[in-house]
C-alpha cells in the first residue's frame, strides 16, 4: 500500500473528474450527476482503504510521498496523513457524495456544478494532506474558487454580494497568512511543516527570524507575534472566530443547501485543521503570550454565536450561527491544550482528552451540520424555497419520518448522549474544565443556549397544529431516506461506540501532547 | 447464569423501543405486546435477581485510550447492590402496571406504536440510571431520560401546550444538568475516577477528603442535576406542566422514572456530599415540600393537584437526604421514594380512569358522586390517598414517619415544616376526594360515567396491594443495609411492626398523626358536600397567589424572555451593525469612496488635465512664495 501513491491518487481523482465534467455539454445533466457521484464514490472507497491500512499505533505521517519540486525555493511535493488528516479526508470523502445526492434542486448548468463540487473536493483533499506550505496554500486557495462560483451562480437572491464578501473576506485572511509565510521562508528557506515545526521546537525559528529580518526594527518576540498574527487571521476568518465571522451567515444562507453542506461540513474544518497543523506546532509560544485574549475570543465565539442563532428567523442563518458555536468548542479545546506546560502526567491526560475531543468534534460537526443543512434543503424543496422558522408548523403530523430523522440530527447537534455530538463535547469539557475553569464554565452556557434554540426549531417546524398550507407536505421518499440514512446511522454508531474513531486518533493526539508539554 | 440478567433487564426495553420504531409503528397490538412484554420480562428477571440475592458488578471498557503517560478509561458497567436491586423492582414493577394500563388508556389513539416506543425508551433510560456504575454512564442515561420525557410529554405534539410543556421539561432539566456535568467533570479531575465503587473506597480510606472545598463545590454542582430531575425549587416549574402528556406517562414520570432519578442519584453519591451541601439540600427539599403543598390546595385540575403533591413529597425525600448527615443513612428517603412510587402511580392511574370516564374532563369542580359510579377506581384511589396522607397502617405512614423521625432528631425547624406539610397533604387530598368522588354531582358528565374496563382496573388493584402493605415488608431495612449503619432489629409480627414507630420516635409518629387528623377535619369542614370552593372567599388574595403558584412561571418567563431578548438582540446588533456594518462595510465604503473620487479626476479631457496642471503649478508657486 505504501508504494502506491494513494494520496496523490486521492487528490487527482476528483481533479480529473472535475476537469472532464467541465468539458461536458450543459444538457448532459443525468450523465454529469452520475459521473460526479461515481467519482466521489471512488474517492470514498479510496479514503476508506486508506483508513483500513492506516496504522493507528503510529502518530506520525503515513502514506508519505515526497518529491523535490522546486528545490531552490524549498518547495517539495510532500503529502501524507496522520490521524487528524485521515479523519478530515474521511469526512470530505463522506460529505461530498452526500452533498451531490442532495443536489436534486440544482437543474441549471448541472455539469458545471458537478465539476465545481469535484474541484472543491480536490482542493479539500489537497489541503488536508499537503505537508509543504507552498502547495498546501495552493490547494487552500483552489478550494476557494469553486466555492465562490458555487455561491455566485446557484445561490439565493443575494448571492452576488454574499459570494463577493465571502471571497474578499477569506482572501484578506489568506494574504495575511501568505505574507507571514513569506517572512518565515525568508528567514529559514523552508516551507515544509515538519521542518518548520522542528525549527520552532528547538528555538531556531526565532533565532533565524531575528537574524534575517532585523531590518524591521522589531524585537524578535514582537516580530514573531506579528507573523503569528498574520497566520492567525487567515485561519480565524476561515473557521470563523468572532469577530471575523460576518461573511458566514450570509454566505451559508445564500448558497444552495448542498453547497452550504460543503461550506459548513468541510471548509470550516480547514480553519480548525490549520490551527492544529500550523499554528500550534509553529507558534505555541506566541499563542501562550496572548492566551487570555484567545480564550476570551473562543468563549465569546461560543456564547455570542449561540445567542445570535437564537435571534435568527431563517433556518439556514440559525444553523449557520450554530456552526460557529460548535467550532468555538474546538477552538476552546485547542487554546486550553496549548495554554499549560509542564511535566505533570495528569496534565497530559487532560490535554489528550481535550484534543481527542477537538478532533472528534470536527468530524462530528462536519457530519451533523452537513446532514442538518441537507434536511433544510429538503424542506426548501418541499416549500418552494421557504425556510423561515415560522413558515412551517405541525409538519410532523404529515411527515413523521422526516421529523424523526431530522429530530435525531438536531439532537445529535445539541449533544445528546448516545449520538455523536456528545462524546466530542464531553471530552473537550472534561479536559478543559480542570485546566481553565472559568472560561470553560462560561462556554458551557453555550450548550444550554444551543438546546434552547434547537428545540425551538423542532417545535416551530414540526410541532403544534398543522399549518393548513402544508397539509400535502410529502414525507421523505424512499430515495431521500437512503440519502440521509447512512449519516444518521453514523451518528448513532459514533455516539454508542466511539472507540474505533478515537483509536485512529489517539497516537496522533499523544504525539501532539508530547510536543506541547515541553 | 444470572450474569446476563442485568444486561437483559436493561436492554430488553431498548430492543422493544427499537423494534417498534423500525417495524411496528403502525401495528398497535404488536407494539403494545413488544413493549409490555419487555418490561414484564425485565420485572420477572429483577425478581429473580432479588430472590437470588445477587450482588456485584459487571463491566466492560467502553472507551480506553492508553499509551505512556496519557491514559484514560471509561467503563460501561452494571452495579447490583441493595439500592439498585430494590429500585429495579420499583421501576420494572410499577412500570409493568403502567404499561398494561396504557394499553387500555391509549387504545384508541392513532399513535399507539409511537407511544409504546417512547414508553420503552423511557424505561430503558431509567434502568440505565439505576444500574450505572459510574458518573458518566449515569449522566448518559440521565440525558436519555430527558429526551424520553420530551418525546412523551409532547406526545400530542399538535397541541401547543403539550409541545411547550415538553420543551420546558427538557430545558429546565438542562439547566440543572449544566451544573451536574461540571460537577461530574470536577470529581473526575480531582479524584481521578468516576466509578462509584472506587470513589466510595477513596472516601472511606480518607475521610478528610469530604472536607475538601473542591469536593464540596462538586457536591453542590451535582445537586443541581438532582434538583432539575426531581423538580426541586427553583427548578420545580416543569413538573406540573408535564401533565400535558398522556396520563399514564404522568404516572410513569411521577412514580417510577424521571423524578425518582434525582433522589436516587443523591442516595447513590451520598458518601461524597459534604456537610454544607447536605444542609443546603435539606433546606431546598423542605422549601419545595412546603411551597408545593401550599400550591396544591388551590388547584382544581385533578392531575395538577397530584402533580403538586408529587413535588411536595419529593421535597420530603430530598430533605431527608440532606438531614441524614455526612456519612449517614438516607434510606428513609429511598423508602419513601418506593412507597410513593406505588401510591402515586396508583393515584395518577386512578385519575386517568376518572378522566377517561368523563371524556377528558379534569376539573374536579365538574365531577362529584363518582364513588358510586366507579367503585374500584374510588376504593383504590382512597387507599392511595390514605397512604399518601400517612395513615397507619398504609405504607406511606411508615415511610413518612421515618422522615419525620429523622427531622426530629436533627432539625427542629424542618421537623415543624414536615409536620405542617403532612397536615396540608391530608387537607388537599381530602379536598380532592370530597369534591370529585363523594359529594354532589357538579355537572352532567358524571351521570354518564361508568367503571373502566379490567385492563385499567386490574393495574389499579395490583398497585393498591403494595400501597397498603409495603410498610410491613422491611423495605427500609433492605435499603439501610446499603449504607452499612446497623438498624435496630426489626420487630416481628404485624402489630409489633405497626406500634414500633410510636415506641421508637413517639414525637414524630404522634405529631404526624395529629397533623393528618387536623388536615382531615379542616377538609371535612370546608369541602364536605360543597359545590363551590369556599377558600377563595376566605383567603382572598392569598388564595389567588396559591392558585397561580406564587407566579413562579410568570416570573421565569419574564426573566428568560428578557435575558434572551437582550442577548439575542445585542448579538444581532453587534453583528449586523457594528461588525458587518461599521467595520466591514466601512472599509468597503471608504475604499469605494476613494476610488470614486479618484475616478472623477480621470476624465480623459485634455483641457481638464491642462487646467489641473496649471492649478497645480499655481498652488506650488503659492506654497513656495509664502515660505
Amino acid at each position: 500500500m505504501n508504494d502506491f501513491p494513494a494520496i496523490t491518487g486521492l487528490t487527482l481523482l476528483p481533479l480529473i473528474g472535475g476537469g472532464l465534467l467541465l468539458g461536458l455539454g450543459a444538457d448532459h445533466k443525468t450523465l454529469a450527476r452520475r459521473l460526479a457521484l461515481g467519482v466521489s464514490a471512488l474517492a470514498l472507497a479510496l479514503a476508506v482503504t486508506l483508513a483500513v491500512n492506516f496504522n493507528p499505533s503510529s502518530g506520525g505521517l503515513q502514506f508519505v510521498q515526497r518529491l523535490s519540486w522546486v528545490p531552490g525555493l524549498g518547495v517539495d511535493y510532500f503529502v501524507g496523513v496522520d490521524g487528524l488528516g485521515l479523519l478530515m479526508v474521511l469526512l470530505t470523502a463522506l460529505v461530498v457524495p452526500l452533498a451531490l445526492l442532495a443536489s436534486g434542486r440544482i437543474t441549471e448548468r448541472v455539469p458545471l456544478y458537478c465539476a465545481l463540487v469535484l474541484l472543491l473536493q480536490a482542493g479539500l483533499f489537497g489541503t488536508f494532506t499537503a505537508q509543504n506550505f507552498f502547495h498546501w496554500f495552493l490547494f487552500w486557495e483552489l478550494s476557494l474558487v469553486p466555492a465562490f462560483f458555487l455561491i455566485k451562480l446557484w445561490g439565493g437572491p443575494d448571492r452576488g454580494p454574499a459570494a463577493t464578501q465571502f471571497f474578499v473576506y477569506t482572501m484578506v485572511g489568506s494574504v495575511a497568512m501568505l505574507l507571514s509565510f513569506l517572512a518565515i521562508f525568508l528567514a529559514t528557506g523552508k516551507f515544509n511543516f515538519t521542518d518548520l515545526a522542528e525549527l520552532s521546537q528547538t528555538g531556531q525559528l526565532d533565532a533565524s527570524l531575528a537574524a534575517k529580518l532585523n531590518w524591521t526594527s522589531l524585537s524578535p518576540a514582537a516580530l514573531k507575534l506579528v507573523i503569528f498574527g498574520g497566520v492567525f487571521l487567515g485561519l480565524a476568518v476561515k473557521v470563523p472566530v468572532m469577530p471575523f465571522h460576518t461573511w458566514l451567515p450570509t454566505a451559508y444562507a445564500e448558497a444552495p443547501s448542498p453547497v452550504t453542506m460543503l461550506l459548513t461540513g468541510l471548509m470550516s474544518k480547514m480553519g480548525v485543521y490549520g490551527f492544529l497543523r500550523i499554528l500550534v506546532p509553529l507558534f505555541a509560544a506566541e499563542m501562550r503570550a496572548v492566551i487570555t485574549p484567545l480564550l476570551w475570543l473562543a468563549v465569546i465565539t461560543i456564547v455570542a454565536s449561540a445567542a445570535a442563532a437564537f435571534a435568527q428567523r431563517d433556518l439556514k442563518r440559525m444553523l449557520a450561527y450554530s456552526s460557529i458555536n460548535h467550532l468555538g468548542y474546538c477552538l476552546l479545546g485547542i487554546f486550553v491544550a496549548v495554554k499549560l506546560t509542564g511535566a505533570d502526567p495528569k496534565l497530559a491526560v487532560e490535554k489528550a482528552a481535550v484534543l481527542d475531543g477537538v478532533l472528534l468534534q470536527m468530524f462530528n460537526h462536519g457530519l451533523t451540520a452537513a446532514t442538518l443543512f441537507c434536511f433544510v434543503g429538503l424542506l426548501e424543496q418541499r416549500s418552494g424555497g421557504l425556510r423561515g422558522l415560522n413558515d412551517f408548523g405541525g409538519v410532523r403530523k404529515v411527515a413523521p419520518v422526516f421529523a424523526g430523522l431530522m429530530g435525531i440530527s438536531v439532537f445529535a447537534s445539541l449533544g445528546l448522549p448516545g449520538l455523536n455530538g456528545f462524546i466530542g463535547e464531553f471530552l473537550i469539557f472534561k479536559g478543559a474544565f480542570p485546566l481553565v475553569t472559568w472560561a470553560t464554565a462560561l462556554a458551557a452556557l453555550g450548550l444550554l443556549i444551543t438546546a434552547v434554540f434547537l428545540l425551538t426549531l423542532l417545535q416551530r417546524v414540526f410541532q403544534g397544529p398543522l399549518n393548513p398550507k402544508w397539509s400535502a407536505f410529502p414525507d421523505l421518499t424512499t430515495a431521500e431516506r437512503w440519502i440521509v440514512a447512512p449519516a444518521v446511522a453514523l451518528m448513532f454508531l459514533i455516539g454508542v461506540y466511539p472507540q474505533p474513531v478515537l483509536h485512529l486518533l489517539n497516537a496522533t493526539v499523544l504525539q501532539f501532547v508530547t510536543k506541547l508539554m515541553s | 447464569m444470572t450474569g446476563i440478567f442485568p444486561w437483559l433487564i436493561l436492554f430488553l426495553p431498548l430492543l422493544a423501543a427499537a423494534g417498534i420504531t423500525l417495524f411496528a409503528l403502525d401495528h398497535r397490538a404488536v407494539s403494545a405486546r413488544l413493549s409490555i412484554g419487555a418490561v414484564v420480562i425485565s420485572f420477572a428477571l429483577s425478581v429473580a435477581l432479588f430472590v437470588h440475592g445477587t450482588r456485584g458488578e459487571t463491566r466492560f471498557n467502553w472507551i480506553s485510550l492508553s499509551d505512556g503517560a496519557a491514559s484514560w478509561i471509561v467503563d460501561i458497567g452494571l452495579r447490583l447492590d441493595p439500592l439498585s436491586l430494590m429500585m429495579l423492582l420499583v421501576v420494572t414493577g410499577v412500570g409493568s402496571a403502567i404499561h398494561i394500563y396504557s394499553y387500555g388508556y391509549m387504545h384508541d389513539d392513532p399513535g399507539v406504536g409511537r407511544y409504546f416506543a417512547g414508553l420503552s425508551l423511557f424505561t430503558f433510560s431509567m434502568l440505565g440510571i439505576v444500574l450505572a456504575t459510574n458518573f458518566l454512564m449515569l449522566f448518559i442515561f440521565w440525558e436519555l431520560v430527558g429526551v424520553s420525557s420530551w418525546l412523551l410529554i409532547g406526545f400530542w405534539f399538535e397541541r401547543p401546550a403539550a409541545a411547550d410543556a415538553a420543551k420546558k421539561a427538557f430545558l429546565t432539566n438542562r439547566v440543572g444538568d449544566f451544573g451536574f456535568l461540571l460537577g461530574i467533570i470536577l470529581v473526575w479531575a480531582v479524584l481521578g475516577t468516576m466509578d462509584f465503587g472506587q470513589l466510595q473506597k477513596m472516601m472511606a480510606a480518607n475521610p478528610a477528603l469530604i472536607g475538601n472545598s473542591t469536593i464540596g463545590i462538586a457536591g453542590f454542582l451535582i445537586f443541581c442535576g438532582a434538583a432539575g430531575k426531581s423538580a426541586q425549587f427553583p427548578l420545580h416549574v416543569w413538573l406540573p406542566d408535564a401533565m400535558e402528556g398522556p396520563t399514564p406517562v404522568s404516572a410513569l414520570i411521577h412514580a417510577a422514572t424521571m423524578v425518582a432519578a434525582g433522589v436516587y442519584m443523591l442516595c447513590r453519591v451520598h458518601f461524597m456530599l459534604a456537610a454544607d451541601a447536605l444542609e443546603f439540600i435539606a433546606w431546598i427539599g423542605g422549601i419545595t415540600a412546603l411551597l408545593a403543598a401550599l400550591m396544591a390546595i388551590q388547584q382544581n385540575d385533578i392531575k395538577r393537584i397530584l402533580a403538586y403533591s408529587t413535588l411536595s413529597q419529593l421535597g420530603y425525600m430530598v430533605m431527608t437526604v440532606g438531614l441524614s448527615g455526612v456519612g449517614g443513612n438516607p434510606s428513609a428517603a429511598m423508602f419513601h421514594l418506593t412507597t410513593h412510587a406505588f401510591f402515586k402511580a396508583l393515584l395518577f392511574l386512578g385519575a386517568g380512569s376518572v378522566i377517561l370516564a368523563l371524556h377528558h374532563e379534569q376539573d374536579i369542580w365538574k365531577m362529584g358522586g363518582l364513588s358510586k359510579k366507579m367503585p374500584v377506581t374510588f376504593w383504590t384511589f382512597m387507599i392511595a390517598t390514605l397512604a399518601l396522607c400517612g395513615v397507619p397502617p398504609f405504607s406511606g405512614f411508615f415511610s413518612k414517619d421515618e422522615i419525620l423521625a429523622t427531622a426530629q432528631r436533627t432539625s427542629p425547624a424542618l421537623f415543624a415544616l414536615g409536620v405542617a406539610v403532612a397536615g396540608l397533604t391530608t387537607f388537599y387530598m381530602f379536598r380532592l376526594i370530597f369534591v370529585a368522588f363523594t359529594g354532589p354531582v357538579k355537572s352532567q358528565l358524571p351521570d354518564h360515567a361508568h367503571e373502566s374496563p379490567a385492563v385499567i382496573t386490574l393495574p389499579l388493584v395490583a398497585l393498591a396491594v403494595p400501597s397498603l402493605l409495603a410498610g410491613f415488608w422491611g423495605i427500609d431495612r433492605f435499603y439501610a443495609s446499603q449504607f452499612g449503619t446497623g438498624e435496630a432489629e426489626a420487630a416481628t409480627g404485624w402489630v409489633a411492626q405497626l406500634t414500633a414507630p410510636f415506641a421508637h420516635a413517639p414525637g414524630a409518629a404522634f405529631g404526624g398523626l395529629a397533623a393528618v387528623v387536623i388536615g382531615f377535619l379542616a377538609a371535612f369542614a370546608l369541602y364536605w358536600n360543597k359545590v363551590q370552593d369556599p377558600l377563595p372567599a376566605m383567603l382572598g388574595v392569598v388564595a389567588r397567589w396559591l392558585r397561580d403558584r406564587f407566579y413562579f412561571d410568570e416570573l421565569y418567563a419574564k426573566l428568560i424572555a428578557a435575558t434572551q431578548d437582550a442577548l439575542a438582540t445585542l448579538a444581532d446588533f453587534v453583528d449586523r451593525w457594528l461588525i458587518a456594518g461599521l467595520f466591514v462595510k466601512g472599509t468597503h465604503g471608504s475604499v469605494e469612496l476613494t476610488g470614486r473620487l479618484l475616478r472623477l479626476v480621470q476624465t480623459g479631457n485634455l483641457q481638464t488635465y491642462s487646467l489641473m496642471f496649471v492649478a497645480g503649478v499655481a498652488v506650488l508657486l503659492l506654497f513656495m512664495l509664502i515660505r
Side-chain angles (χ1 to χ4, degrees):
Chain A
M1 183 74 195
N2 271 332
D3 303 331
F4 176 69
I7 290 179
T8 308
L10 191 66
T11 314
L12 278 180
L13 192 64
L15 202 61
I16 294 170
L20 283 178
L21 280 171
L22 277 179
L24 207 62
D27 41 347
H28 294 289
K29 291 183 183 174
T30 325
L31 179 65
R33 282 181 208 276
R34 284 194 189 146
L35 254 175
L37 207 57
V39 170
S40 66
L42 264 179
L44 178 60
L46 198 53
V48 171
T49 322
L50 271 186
V52 171
N53 286 283
F54 186 80
N55 173 9
S57 54
S58 148
L61 291 173
Q62 302 188 28
F63 313 108
V64 172
Q65 199 186 1
R66 189 170 181 170
L67 302 165
S68 200
W69 190 357
V70 192
L73 289 177
V75 176
D76 289 346
Y77 178 77
F78 179 16
V79 292
V81 289
D82 54 4
L84 167 65
L86 179 71
L87 196 69
M88 290 301 105
V89 164
L90 277 175
L91 181 66
T92 309
L94 213 69
V95 172
V96 169
L98 193 62
L100 282 170
L101 283 170
S103 299
R105 271 191 89 205
I106 306 287
T107 47
E108 283 172 43
R109 283 175 284 190
V110 177
L112 181 61
Y113 173 87
C114 292
L116 288 172
V117 170
L118 287 183
L119 290 179
L120 178 58
Q121 187 178 29
L124 287 159
F125 278 145
T127 312
F128 292 136
T129 54
Q131 303 299 332
N132 180 290
F133 177 78
F134 185 80
H135 71 281
W136 179 82
F137 191 73
L138 220 61
F139 283 120
W140 172 275
E141 291 301 310
L142 173 67
S143 66
L144 191 57
V145 177
F148 170 77
F149 282 109
L150 284 170
I151 300 175
K152 174 101 181 158
L153 296 181
W154 287 273
D158 274 335
R159 56 182 179 254
T164 312
Q165 196 186 10
F166 163 70
F167 192 82
V168 171
Y169 221 128
T170 321
M171 207 59 191
V172 169
S174 297
V175 168
M177 183 157 67
L178 182 64
L179 288 176
S180 287
F181 262 93
L182 287 181
I184 292 175
F185 175 74
L186 279 179
T188 61
K190 286 188 195 304
F191 269 137
N192 285 339
F193 293 147
T194 39
D195 300 343
L196 289 172
E198 213 166 288
L199 289 179
S200 171
Q201 194 84 6
T202 54
Q204 272 171 280
L205 182 58
D206 299 29
S208 19
L209 279 175
K212 295 274 176 66
L213 296 177
N214 50 9
W215 50 265
T216 51
S217 70
L218 284 169
S219 73
L223 178 67
K224 202 170 169 213
L225 205 59
V226 170
I227 294 173
F228 157 77
V231 181
F232 176 81
L233 187 68
L235 299 171
V237 168
K238 203 83 169 188
V239 175
V241 183
M242 277 192 171
F244 307 107
H245 68 285
T246 48
W247 60 269
L248 182 139
T250 331
Y252 280 21
E254 291 306 320
S257 290
V259 175
T260 314
M261 290 168 69
L262 299 173
L263 290 176
T264 182
L266 305 174
M267 291 192 73
S268 65
K269 304 301 166 304
M270 292 166 69
V272 184
Y273 175 87
F275 269 91
L276 287 164
R277 178 71 70 218
I278 301 172
L279 210 62
V280 175
L282 265 61
F283 300 101
E286 284 65 36
M287 288 176 80
R288 277 179 208 126
V290 290
I291 196 72
T292 314
L294 285 182
L295 282 168
W296 277 111
L297 273 187
V299 171
I300 289 171
T301 302
I302 290 168
V303 178
S305 60
F310 189 78
Q312 303 307 316
R313 291 293 165 266
D314 174 335
L315 292 182
K316 269 178 143 179
R317 288 184 80 96
M318 178 185 264
L319 292 175
Y321 277 105
S322 167
S323 258
I324 304 181
N325 162 272
H326 279 97
L327 293 171
Y329 298 125
C330 291
L331 294 177
L332 177 76
I334 294 173
F335 297 156
V336 167
V338 170
K339 186 184 175 197
L340 299 170
T341 54
D344 186 0
K346 219 170 166 179
L347 198 63
V349 175
E350 305 294 7
K351 281 188 174 190
V354 168
L355 289 173
D356 273 323
V358 169
L359 267 54
L360 207 57
Q361 171 84 348
M362 287 166 75
F363 187 83
N364 287 336
H365 173 260
L367 178 68
T368 313
T371 315
L372 278 176
F373 276 107
C374 178
F375 277 113
V376 174
L378 293 172
L379 271 179
E380 278 184 284
Q381 194 173 332
R382 285 158 167 72
S383 67
L386 285 180
R387 49 158 203 266
L389 188 59
N390 300 321
D391 287 342
F392 299 91
V395 172
R396 181 173 169 185
K397 194 171 178 59
V398 282
V401 178
F402 197 124
L405 290 176
M406 183 161 170
I408 291 171
S409 315
V410 166
F411 274 103
S413 180
L414 67 74
L416 185 78
L419 295 166
N420 57 350
F422 172 71
I423 313 282
E425 282 170 16
F426 178 78
L427 288 177
I428 292 176
F429 280 104
K430 178 242 179 291
F433 189 59
L435 299 181
V436 189
T437 309
W438 288 110
T440 315
L442 274 176
L445 278 177
L447 293 179
L448 207 62
I449 310 176
T450 303
V452 177
F453 71 76
L454 285 179
L455 281 192
T456 308
L457 184 157
L458 283 185
Q459 188 184 3
R460 295 281 175 82
V461 175
F462 292 116
Q463 300 184 329
L466 177 65
N467 184 340
K469 202 155 99 187
W470 308 123
S471 51
F473 193 91
D475 205 346
L476 289 187
T477 63
T478 313
E480 286 164 342
R481 286 178 206 191
W482 281 110
I483 295 176
V484 288
V488 173
L490 208 55
M491 288 176 201
F492 274 107
L493 221 63
I494 297 176
V496 173
Y497 194 52
Q499 177 77 18
V501 185
L502 286 170
H503 188 57
L504 275 184
L505 302 176
N506 196 39
T508 308
V509 165
L510 288 177
Q511 201 170 48
F512 235 96
V513 170
T514 324
K515 283 190 183 149
L516 272 176
M517 297 306 279
S518 49
Chain B
M1 184 203 73
T2 44
I4 187 120
F5 277 17
W7 295 104
L8 281 177
I9 293 172
L10 177 62
F11 281 103
L12 279 175
L14 178 68
L15 285 179
I20 294 170
T21 311
L22 292 176
F23 306 112
L25 269 183
D26 300 327
H27 301 83
R28 63 183 65 224
V30 176
S31 61
R33 274 183 206 136
L34 273 175
S35 179
I36 295 172
V39 71
V40 170
I41 296 173
S42 285
F43 178 54
L45 294 175
S46 305
V47 172
L49 284 181
F50 185 79
V51 172
H52 191 255
T54 314
R55 301 282 188 280
E57 289 184 6
T58 51
R59 60 168 81 201
F60 64 90
N61 287 356
W62 181 46
I63 304 176
S64 85
L65 293 172
S66 54
D67 184 271
S71 80
W72 50 278
I73 292 171
V74 181
D75 285 336
I76 290 284
L78 307 181
R79 185 183 172 86
L80 290 177
D81 54 14
L83 191 59
S84 59
L85 268 176
M86 183 57 83
M87 200 63 193
L88 275 187
L89 287 179
V90 173
V91 175
T92 54
V94 175
S96 294
I98 295 172
H99 275 67
I100 295 169
Y101 175 99
S102 294
Y103 188 54
Y105 193 87
M106 300 298 289
H107 194 266
D108 298 327
D109 197 284
V112 175
R114 188 159 59 82
Y115 174 83
F116 274 106
L119 223 50
S120 283
L121 183 67
F122 212 155
T123 310
F124 163 71
S125 315
M126 188 62 199
L127 289 172
I129 291 182
V130 171
L131 289 165
T133 51
N134 63 51
F135 265 122
L136 181 61
M137 185 179 161
L138 187 119
F139 184 77
I140 289 173
F141 285 98
W142 190 264
E143 291 291 299
L144 290 181
V145 163
V147 80
S148 323
S149 72
W150 181 80
L151 286 169
L152 284 174
I153 295 170
F155 177 72
W156 286 312
F157 58 83
E158 306 96 323
R159 296 186 190 165
D164 280 336
K167 192 169 84 167
K168 188 170 177 181
F170 189 86
L171 293 179
T172 314
N173 271 289
R174 196 88 181 183
V175 172
D177 296 347
F178 166 73
F180 189 25
L181 182 67
L182 294 182
I184 292 174
I185 293 173
L186 206 57
V187 170
W188 198 6
V190 176
L191 299 176
T193 176
M194 296 187 295
D195 187 89
F196 295 133
Q198 287 178 25
L199 285 170
Q200 193 159 13
K201 267 189 214 136
M202 216 178 267
M203 288 294 185
N206 184 5
L209 218 51
I210 198 101
N212 182 325
S213 63
T214 320
I215 303 290
I217 293 170
F220 276 105
L221 289 171
I222 288 169
F223 175 64
C224 287
K229 276 279 177 295
S230 283
Q232 294 299 295
F233 173 82
L235 299 179
H236 63 280
V237 288
W238 66 268
L239 187 62
D241 289 24
M243 59 156 210
E244 287 297 336
T247 304
V249 171
S250 307
L252 201 60
I253 289 177
H254 287 252
T257 63
M258 192 111 181
V259 297
V263 177
Y264 176 83
M265 187 266 279
L266 286 179
C267 291
R268 175 60 79 205
V269 303
H270 187 265
F271 58 84
M272 56 185 301
L273 297 174
D276 289 351
L278 285 173
E279 196 178 346
F280 180 74
I281 290 171
W283 276 101
I284 289 287
I287 291 170
T288 310
L290 183 64
L291 280 180
L294 284 172
M295 295 176 199
I297 62 178
Q298 272 299 293
Q299 302 304 317
N300 297 325
D301 181 312
I302 186 169
K303 280 173 78 179
R304 252 183 204 276
I305 298 173
L306 298 178
Y308 282 101
S309 153
T310 305
L311 277 181
S312 171
Q313 300 299 309
L314 285 166
Y316 263 148
M317 299 170 208
V318 170
M319 181 178 93
T320 314
V321 171
L323 288 177
S324 57
V326 174
N329 174 4
S331 59
M334 285 310 296
F335 185 26
H336 196 55
L337 178 89
T338 310
T339 60
H340 177 261
F342 298 136
F343 58 70
K344 188 49 67 67
L346 178 49
L347 285 172
F348 265 105
L349 297 187
S353 172
V354 168
I355 292 167
L356 212 54
L358 300 183
H359 305 290
H360 293 273
E361 179 55 59
Q362 302 189 182
D363 187 346
I364 57 170
W365 293 99
K366 293 191 176 140
M367 300 177 186
L370 291 172
S371 57
K372 301 214 174 53
K373 300 267 184 192
M374 310 178 71
V376 181
T377 305
F378 170 66
W379 285 109
T380 50
F381 200 88
M382 194 66 190
I383 288 173
T385 303
L386 292 171
L388 171 59
C389 297
V391 177
F394 294 89
S395 60
F397 164 71
F398 295 94
S399 54
K400 188 178 283 186
D401 180 64
E402 277 198 22
I403 288 177
L404 292 179
T406 311
Q408 193 195 13
R409 271 203 308 277
T410 44
S411 164
L414 284 173
F415 174 64
L417 189 148
V419 171
V421 170
L424 288 170
T425 307
T426 315
F427 178 75
Y428 67 66
M429 282 314 293
F430 274 94
R431 172 177 177 261
L432 167 59
I433 296 269
F434 290 153
V435 173
F437 285 95
T438 67
V441 174
K442 294 162 197 74
S443 75
Q444 267 108 45
L445 283 168
D447 293 339
H448 310 290
H450 48 77
E451 188 57 271
S452 300
V455 65
I456 285 184
T457 52
L458 279 180
L460 297 182
V461 175
L463 284 168
V465 174
S467 299
L468 178 59
L469 297 178
F472 296 101
W473 293 346
I475 295 172
D476 46 342
R477 270 169 288 120
F478 188 74
Y479 277 131
S481 67
Q482 166 88 15
F483 300 97
T485 45
E487 278 283 291
E489 196 54 37
T492 46
W494 296 72
V495 179
Q497 284 199 43
L498 190 55
T499 50
F502 294 95
H504 188 240
F510 284 113
L513 218 53
V516 169
V517 172
I518 293 170
F520 176 78
L521 289 177
F524 186 81
L526 284 172
Y527 291 103
W528 181 254
N529 272 344
K530 290 281 159 45
V531 287
Q532 224 184 355
D533 197 342
L535 218 50
M538 291 163 66
L539 294 179
V541 74
V542 178
R544 206 170 69 227
W545 275 69
L546 295 180
R547 194 185 62 228
D548 293 339
R549 309 172 296 277
F550 298 115
Y551 298 100
F552 275 113
D553 293 75
E554 286 77 5
L555 181 71
Y556 288 177
K558 286 249 162 62
L559 264 177
I560 292 168
T563 357
Q564 277 175 350
D565 277 357
L567 255 181
T569 319
L570 182 71
D572 196 53
F573 174 81
V574 168
D575 243 44
R576 216 178 273 264
W577 300 110
L578 277 185
I579 300 175
L582 204 62
F583 298 150
V584 178
K585 294 251 170 62
T587 317
H588 167 101
S590 45
V591 171
E592 184 164 314
L593 194 68
T594 321
R596 278 177 193 277
L597 285 178
L598 287 177
R599 199 174 62 193
L600 288 179
V601 182
Q602 319 277 327
T603 57
N605 185 328
L606 202 61
Q607 279 95 330
T608 318
Y609 288 161
S610 49
L611 181 69
M612 282 169 76
F613 178 72
V614 173
V617 169
V619 170
L620 263 180
L621 273 176
L622 203 64
F623 186 68
M624 302 275 275
L625 284 174
I626 290 171
R627 221 173 61 139

